Each structure stands twice: as structure tokens, then as C-alpha cells.
Amino acid sequence: MLVLRDFRKQELEDLAVSYIVLLILFSNFELKNMPYVALAVFTAFVFHELAHRQVAKKYGYIAFYKRWDTGIVIALLLGIVGKVIFGHAIFFAALGAVYIYAPYQYWEDKEAEGWISLSGPLTNIIVGIVALILLKTLSLPLHAMISLFYTAIVNFWIAFFNLLPFPPLDGYKVLKWNAGYWAVAIGVAYILRSLV
């Protein structure tokens, strides 16, 4: 079970800073949009990174999230430029990553690397499906429906993007490990994006 004592203070700070930057970008620098995208960004980003972290720990690895300050600055600058020129933020979402350290004997464990890499996008797909089911089956206030809409679409988009087969994205590592799992995962993410 995931508890706060499992985290170092610096890791929690890094997750919080990265989350706030993504929230600013996804809300297009507008405070009024933040309540609608807060859940979407939290589930799409934080749950994704925690999935990588926890699966890595299950395999006996040392794993923790670390923000990348250069990526944060680039993301904010591109967002501002996009907002000024195009009216909406340009996204650059390389704000950090889960760093994984393994004992020597585990370095060649392709199955572990595959499941660790797949766990983030798979978590996004599951969260997106839950949000989509709630959106389609419940009669909720408008603000809750908008929040669920964004939660579904952002999670499916993050899953699809991360499953693209280019390094250093998750999809590259999953494809190297198991092409069948990769094809099913990216296919499901692509199809689900169109259902929202």
C-alpha cells in the first residue's frame, strides 16, 4: 500500500512542482479553467508516475520521481509563447521522470523493464475508462461532467503519447519487450481517445 512515509520530502516537492506546472499549462494559464482540469492532470500525471515507481519497487528496484528544472522552464516558456501567439499553450511535458536503480543482477530483466514502462500508460487507460463510464452513466452537475470529460481525454492522450515507440518514451521500451502488448495498449489508447 502506498503511504506518504514511503516518499522522501524532495520527491513529494518534485511531484508537486511538476503537477502545478502541468496544471497551469493544461488550464491555458487561466485560473477559471483550473478546477476543471485539476483532476485530469492529477490522475494523468501523478498516477502515471506513481505506477512506474510502485511497479519498479515491486521488482526490488530503488525508484523515485525527480523533476527536471530545465524541462519545467522550457515548458513554461513554450506555454507562454503559444498563449501569446496562438491563444493556447504549447505543450512540452518532459518535466521529470521516475529514476530507477537496480542491483546489478536485475539490469538485464527485460520483463521488469517492460512492465514498469507499461504500468504508467496502463494506469492512464484504466483511469480514463473509469472517467468515461462515469461520464456516460451518471447524471452529474455540469462542472463535474466537464471535469470527468477532461479526466478521460487527458488520460487517454497521455497514454497514447507515452506509448509512441520512440526513445525515451514508455512505448519504445514496451515494444522492445513485447510487441503484442505494445500493439494492444497503443491501439486501445488510440480508440478510446475517439470515444470521448
Side-chain angles (χ1 to χ4, degrees), residues 29-63:
F29 294 90
E30 295 183 26
L31 192 60
K32 66 180 183 181
N33 295 337
M34 287 186 184
Y36 298 110
V37 298
L39 179 64
V41 174
F42 187 80
T43 57
F45 164 67
V46 176
F47 285 14
H48 177 104
E49 298 300 340
L50 291 181
H52 288 317
R53 181 186 186 277
Q54 292 310 110
V55 172
K57 285 181 172 280
K58 290 288 183 192
Y59 278 100
Y61 298 173
I62 297 167

Side-chain angles (χ1 to χ4, degrees), residues 50 90 162 179:
L50 291 181
I90 297 172
N162 275 281

Side-chain angles (χ1 to χ4, degrees), residues 61-115:
Y61 298 173
I62 297 167
F64 57 90
Y65 179 81
K66 182 170 175 46
R67 75 179 190 247
W68 181 40
D69 289 335
T70 303
I72 288 173
V73 171
I74 292 169
L76 288 170
L77 289 175
L78 283 175
I80 292 167
V81 168
K83 176 75 170 169
V84 170
I85 296 174
F86 305 111
H88 57 83
I90 297 172
F91 286 94
F92 174 82
L95 307 184
V98 171
Y99 287 73
I100 299 169
Y101 299 94
Y104 177 76
Q105 67 267 28
Y106 293 128
W107 278 121
E108 296 302 318
D109 190 342
K110 294 298 178 194
E111 182 177 335
E113 183 182 26
W115 281 117

Side-chain angles (χ1 to χ4, degrees), residues 6-191:
D6 293 338
F7 293 87
R8 297 177 340 203
K9 181 181 174 190
Q10 185 62 54
E11 185 178 13
L12 290 172
E13 180 184 304
D14 288 353
L15 279 166
V17 169
S18 299
Y19 169 73
I20 290 166
V21 170
L22 284 173
L23 181 60
I24 290 167
L25 292 170
F26 272 93
S27 64
N28 202 30
F29 294 90
E30 295 183 26
L31 192 60
K32 66 180 183 181
N33 295 337
M34 287 186 184
Y36 298 110
V37 298
L39 179 64
V41 174
F42 187 80
T43 57
F45 164 67
V46 176
F47 285 14
H48 177 104
E49 298 300 340
L50 291 181
H52 288 317
R53 181 186 186 277
Q54 292 310 110
V55 172
K57 285 181 172 280
K58 290 288 183 192
Y59 278 100
Y61 298 173
I62 297 167
F64 57 90
Y65 179 81
K66 182 170 175 46
R67 75 179 190 247
W68 181 40
D69 289 335
T70 303
I72 288 173
V73 171
I74 292 169
L76 288 170
L77 289 175
L78 283 175
I80 292 167
V81 168
K83 176 75 170 169
V84 170
I85 296 174
F86 305 111
H88 57 83
I90 297 172
F91 286 94
F92 174 82
L95 307 184
V98 171
Y99 287 73
I100 299 169
Y101 299 94
Y104 177 76
Q105 67 267 28
Y106 293 128
W107 278 121
E108 296 302 318
D109 190 342
K110 294 298 178 194
E111 182 177 335
E113 183 182 26
W115 281 117
I116 291 165
S117 299
L118 185 57
S119 65
L122 189 58
T123 298
N124 292 127
I125 290 170
I126 292 167
V127 170
I129 288 171
V130 170
L132 187 59
I133 289 170
L134 294 174
L135 184 65
K136 302 288 187 183
T137 60
L138 298 180
S139 178
L140 297 167
L142 181 59
H143 66 277
M145 299 292 275
I146 294 170
S147 183
L148 285 173
F149 169 80
Y150 281 121
T151 300
I153 197 74
V154 170
N155 272 279
F156 292 145
W157 183 87
I158 294 288
F160 177 75
F161 175 79
N162 275 281
L163 284 165
L164 293 174
F166 310 112
L169 297 175
D170 296 326
Y172 176 74
K173 297 170 209 160
V174 175
L175 179 61
K176 280 194 331 183
W177 163 58
N178 189 308
Y181 285 176
W182 172 80
V184 170
I186 197 167
V188 167
Y190 180 79
I191 291 166

